[in-house]
Amino acid sequence: MSAIKSTSSITVPAKKSRRLLQKSECKEEEILETASVPFVTAKTRGTKIPIGLGHTHFPFHEQVSMKAIREQAKLEVKTAPTAKDNNVKVGEEYQADLPEFNPKLYDNDERDREEAMWTPSPKTFHDHESYQAAYFLPIWYQFEGQIPFEVALQNLMHRDYDIGKALETIDQKLKILPQKFKNLTKIQMKKFKELYDTKNKQGSRVEVPTRNFQEKAMRNYHIAETQNFYHFFENQALQGSSCTCPVLAHPEVVPRWACGNCTKHLKPTTSEDQCLICLNYKAVMGTTRPASNPVFTEEEYQKILDWKQIAARERRSVSKDEFEGIQKQKKIDRLLRNELTEEERLIIEPGQLPHKKKHLTEAQMQENGWNLVEQLEECPLGLPVFRQCNCDARDIIENPVALEIRKAIKRKSVDKDNQVNEPNPAKKPRRVMKR
């Protein structure tokens, strides 16, 4: 009977001969202590959203599997301590010698870390609707919810409750807030809805863990962004139709990169279009907003530079619609050549394309390209609305908002008959996501 050849464990390093150890001037104990087996570690899923004006997508690594990590952890064998480490010293002579505690060294570390977000003004501050329509709503719609309510209130408080000063400096808050959330693409929204509508055999909806949404539908998003979007999507699905109060209706918004006043220091323009921040500043203060030091995100700043270059190349003024058409066609041409960015490769899977070969004809590349254009089309979900559940009562209350401010917001028309006849949707309990 032949003997079975034994193999050494992968977790135990091979012992070298003393001749080789002496030649490399190393000790055997050092080799045993420093040698280790490569261990697969769990990579972060992005529990913290990046801060600042840029946009960093999450570098999702598909090859890292949690199942493989758990299996590897079961096989982990810790190196046995050496002989000198086995002797535990006991006795007073082996106690640690610590210096006496000096409280003066830690006085600076006991500062108050709490931050006041809002303190009521000592002045008259009873006209909340005027502040809401002239200050917060323009901020909410202009920045698409990136600047939350409490940050806007804190900025107003720091500016001595002066709406003009607060509107002039509100864009500075973009430097310290999480990056702007990008809309999901068409293929991502399709996968997200399929996961959201997952049902068991009894026909009841099953709660899917957040990690599954990130792995299968939102691989370029941090898991914190995924969870925020899940609750936003669920709230819209449960609330149904939005509130149709006149003051709270959605306005028409000119993006800040197309605002003639905000971009006056970056590119010459004859456009009279202005963003909601500049419009409401003029309605409140009676003068044009200075916009002396506007803050733009990296994406907005790049659009301003591209617009300026196109106008210089054409040697004429280029309208906003024409510029957007040029940018859109530029992206389509790139996708028709099957050229994808690193973030787009996380969104698109090769198996989703009609032709999966490495070497494609020009016609096949075109077909794949138009498929990419369709899948990468953005699907904006909109903004959460302000539900006050008091629509009927608001009709008989005199609105104190100035007429100029109401015009500046450019509210959409509301059919009052539908508003009265439409019943309020019943409130449903909020579901809790499984982590």
Side-chain angles (χ1 to χ4, degrees):
M1 184 176 180
S2 60
I4 300 176
K5 184 178 180 180
S6 62
T7 57
S8 59
S9 173
I10 61 173
T11 59
V12 180
K15 185 176 179 180
K16 295 183 179 181
S17 65
R18 293 188 179 277
R19 180 179 60 82
L20 294 177
L21 292 177
Q22 292 175 357
K23 186 176 181 180
S24 60
E25 297 182 357
C26 295
K27 295 182 180 180
E28 183 178 355
E29 292 180 354
E30 294 178 354
I31 296 294
L32 290 174
E33 289 177 1
T34 57
S36 59
V37 180
F39 183 74
V40 181
T41 57
K43 300 201 174 184
T44 176
R45 292 299 185 100
T47 55
K48 293 183 179 180
I49 304 175
I51 304 295
L53 304 176
H55 188 275
T56 305
H57 70 273
F58 179 72
F60 187 87
H61 299 284
E62 191 172 8
Q63 65 270 21
V64 178
S65 171
M66 295 306 298
K67 181 179 180 181
I69 293 174
R70 289 192 296 267
E71 294 297 328
Q72 180 71 28
K74 295 178 181 178
L75 300 176
E76 181 184 10
V77 178
K78 296 183 179 180
T79 305
T82 59
K84 60 181 181 180
D85 295 330
N86 288 334
N87 299 330
V88 180
K89 311 302 183 195
V90 180
E92 296 182 358
E93 62 273 19
Y94 298 108
Q95 299 302 312
D97 187 11
L98 300 177
E100 294 184 2
F101 176 74
N102 187 1
K104 295 182 179 180
L105 299 177
Y106 302 92
D107 287 345
N108 296 332
D109 197 40
E110 295 180 358
R111 61 186 183 277
D112 187 8
R113 288 185 172 84
E114 292 185 353
E115 184 178 7
M117 301 302 294
W118 175 252
T119 302
S121 171
K123 306 174 184 178
T124 304
F125 197 83
H126 62 276
D127 194 0
H128 297 281
E129 287 192 352
S130 296
Y131 277 86
Q132 179 173 264
Y135 177 67
F136 179 65
L137 285 180
I139 293 173
W140 180 257
Y141 288 121
Q142 186 65 62
F143 296 97
E144 298 181 347
Q146 186 179 3
I147 299 181
F149 183 66
E150 61 273 13
V151 174
L153 283 179
Q154 186 187 46
N155 183 65
L156 179 63
M157 178 182 64
H158 288 169
R159 306 302 169 184
D160 197 22
Y161 307 93
D162 188 322
I163 293 182
K165 294 180 180 179
L167 288 174
E168 171 64 13
T169 58
I170 189 61
D171 54 358
Q172 302 293 328
K173 295 296 182 181
L174 295 175
K175 299 177 182 179
I176 61 174
L177 289 173
Q179 66 183 11
K180 184 179 179 181
F181 184 84
K182 293 182 64 174
N183 293 322
L184 271 69
T185 61
K186 190 173 181 180
I187 185 64
Q188 286 180 306
M189 184 64 74
K190 179 182 178 181
K191 294 179 180 178
F192 186 92
K193 290 182 177 178
E194 290 176 354
L195 288 173
Y196 182 82
D197 294 331
T198 302
K199 297 181 180 180
N200 55 19
K201 296 181 180 180
Q202 290 74 27
S204 302
R205 198 172 75 84
V206 179
E207 295 289 347
V208 180
T210 312
R211 289 183 179 273
N212 291 15
F213 281 98
Q214 185 191 33
E215 290 178 0
K216 299 181 180 180
M218 302 175 65
R219 290 188 290 183
N220 57 320
Y221 292 88
H222 297 71
I223 200 166
E225 295 176 304
T226 305
Q227 184 165 354
N228 292 341
F229 179 79
Y230 176 90
H231 292 300
F232 174 49
F233 181 87
E234 186 176 47
N235 288 340
Q236 284 208 342
L238 295 178
Q239 289 179 1
S241 60
S242 62
C243 180
T244 54
C245 295
V247 179
L248 306 183
H250 197 294
E252 300 174 5
V253 181
V254 174
R256 297 178 67 242
W257 57 266
C259 175
N261 187 46
C262 290
T263 60
K264 59 186 178 184
H265 299 295
L266 297 175
K267 71 177 185 67
T269 180
T270 57
S271 175
E272 297 182 356
D273 293 338
Q274 293 187 3
C275 63
L276 290 178
I277 307 300
C278 294
L279 285 173
N280 282 269
Y281 183 96
K282 187 173 184 179
V284 174
M285 306 302 295
T287 58
T288 303
R289 178 176 173 238
S292 56
N293 186 27
V295 175
F296 297 97
T297 63
E298 292 182 0
E299 181 182 2
E300 292 173 335
Y301 186 72
Q302 188 60 47
K303 284 186 177 181
I304 296 172
L305 295 183
D306 293 344
W307 195 354
K308 182 179 179 180
Q309 292 176 358
I310 292 175
R313 185 176 67 244
E314 298 291 334
R315 296 182 179 180
R316 61 180 178 86
S317 60
V318 178
S319 65
K320 171 179 171 291
D321 295 336
E322 185 179 359
F323 169 72
E324 289 181 321
I326 294 174
Q327 292 289 93
K328 183 177 180 180
Q329 186 60 44
K330 183 179 178 181
K331 180 179 179 181
I332 291 176
D333 294 340
R334 175 175 60 83
L335 294 177
L336 291 180
R337 298 192 300 268
N338 296 174
E339 298 176 2
L340 297 176
T341 63
E342 183 180 352
E343 185 175 4
E344 289 171 343
R345 291 191 187 97
L346 294 175
I347 301 174
I348 298 296
E349 297 179 2
Q352 299 170 349
L353 300 177
H355 305 285
K356 309 173 183 61
K357 300 179 182 179
K358 291 184 178 181
H359 303 286
L360 302 177
T361 63
E362 185 176 352
Q364 291 174 337
M365 289 183 63
Q366 289 278 330
E367 187 175 356
N368 278 359
W370 285 114
N371 190 277
L372 292 173
V373 172
E374 181 181 3
Q375 293 188 30
L376 293 176
E377 182 182 354
E378 290 189 358
C379 293
L381 197 59
L383 287 172
V385 292
F386 301 88
R387 302 177 58 82
Q388 293 192 358
C389 302
N390 196 22
C391 298
D392 297 335
R394 290 174 61 89
D395 295 338
I396 61 176
I397 299 177
E398 183 180 357
N399 197 330
V401 182
L403 181 61
E404 295 82 5
I405 298 176
R406 296 169 64 87
K407 289 182 178 180
I409 300 181
K410 296 182 180 180
R411 301 170 304 278
K412 292 182 178 179
S413 60
V414 179
D415 192 344
K416 293 185 178 180
D417 297 335
N418 295 338
Q419 177 184 346
V420 175
N421 297 331
E422 184 179 0
N424 292 331
K427 293 184 178 180
K428 298 183 180 180
R430 187 173 180 177
R431 295 184 177 90
V432 179
M433 278 288 296
K434 294 181 179 178
R435 295 302 302 272

